[in-house]
Amino acid sequence: MRPFTLPKLNLRKISRNFKQSMTGLAKGGFQKIFEQIDQLGIKKGVDQLGIDRFIQQCALLAAGSGAITGAGGVTSMLIGVPVDMINLITQQFRVTLAISYHRTGSYKIRFDDFFKIVASSLKVDAGMAMTKNIMEEVAEKLMLNIGSKTAERLVPVVGAVVGASANYIFIKRVADNLMKEKVTKIDI
C-alpha cells in the first residue's frame, strides 16, 4: 500500500483563480445570490423558530456544505469549494437578513443597504458609497475563511470535520458580530 501524499499545488494558478473569483463576486455575484433569497421566507422563519434557532439552522446548513467539501479529500474539494462558497455566502446573507428583521421589524431591504450591513459585520469600512473595492474586500474576507482551512480539508474525513467546523463557527461569529454591534439598521 502506497502512503498518502498530497498533490503538488500550482500556487500561481491558485492565486490567479482566487483573484478571478473575487472579481466575479464583486461584479454581481453577491447581488445575484441576494436576489435569490426569499426575504419573506426569512421573516416567516424567524417568526416561527425565533432568531437563535434560525441562526443555528443557518450555521448547520453552512456546516453541511463544509463537511461535504472536505469529506473526500482533494476530489470532493475541487468540486465542492465553489458550492461551499456559494452556500456560505447564502447562509451569511440569510443570517444578516434575519437579524435585520429581528431588530427593525422590516423584512424587505435593498441590496445596497443590505451590503453595507454585510460589510460592517465583516469589519469592512463600507462608508456611504457602494464601490467595487468594498465588494472585493468582502469577497476576499469570505474566501480567506474557506482558504484558511484548505490544507486540512485535503485529508479525507478530517477535512469534513475541519470544513464543517470552520463554516459553522464563521456563521455563528457573523451572527454574534451583528447582534452585539447592532449594525443591522442603515440610516439613509
Side-chain angles (χ1 to χ4, degrees), residues 1-9 72-75 151 154-156:
M1 179 177 223
R2 255 176 67 194
F4 176 76
T5 59
L6 293 175
K8 293 183 181 180
L9 298 175
V74 176
T75 307
L154 292 172
V155 180

Side-chain angles (χ1 to χ4, degrees), residues 59-70:
L60 289 172
L61 288 169
S65 68
I68 292 167
T69 300

Side-chain angles (χ1 to χ4, degrees), residues 174-187:
V174 165
D176 286 346
N177 285 343
L178 287 166
M179 293 295 273
K180 286 178 187 170
E181 297 189 21
K182 298 182 182 186
V183 293
T184 54
K185 187 167 185 178
I186 300 295
D187 295 320

Side-chain angles (χ1 to χ4, degrees), residues 50-78:
I51 191 65
D52 293 331
R53 285 185 51 210
F54 189 87
I55 291 168
Q56 179 72 11
Q57 178 187 58
C58 292
L60 289 172
L61 288 169
S65 68
I68 292 167
T69 300
V74 176
T75 307
S76 65
M77 198 173 110
L78 292 174

Side-chain angles (χ1 to χ4, degrees), residues 108-163:
K108 196 74 173 153
I109 188 169
R110 291 183 356 225
F111 176 74
D112 289 346
D113 297 331
F114 169 77
F115 206 78
K116 289 175 187 175
I117 297 168
V118 170
S120 187
S121 75
L122 292 172
K123 309 289 190 220
V124 174
D125 183 20
M128 290 308 288
M130 283 297 295
T131 67
K132 182 180 159 199
N133 290 342
I134 291 170
M135 290 189 180
E136 285 178 352
E137 192 173 337
V138 168
E140 183 178 329
K141 286 198 180 221
L142 291 170
M143 293 183 98
L144 285 174
N145 176 60
I146 287 180
S148 67
K149 302 294 181 191
T150 298
E152 292 92 343
R153 290 183 192 202
L154 292 172
V155 180
V157 181
V158 172
V161 173
V162 170

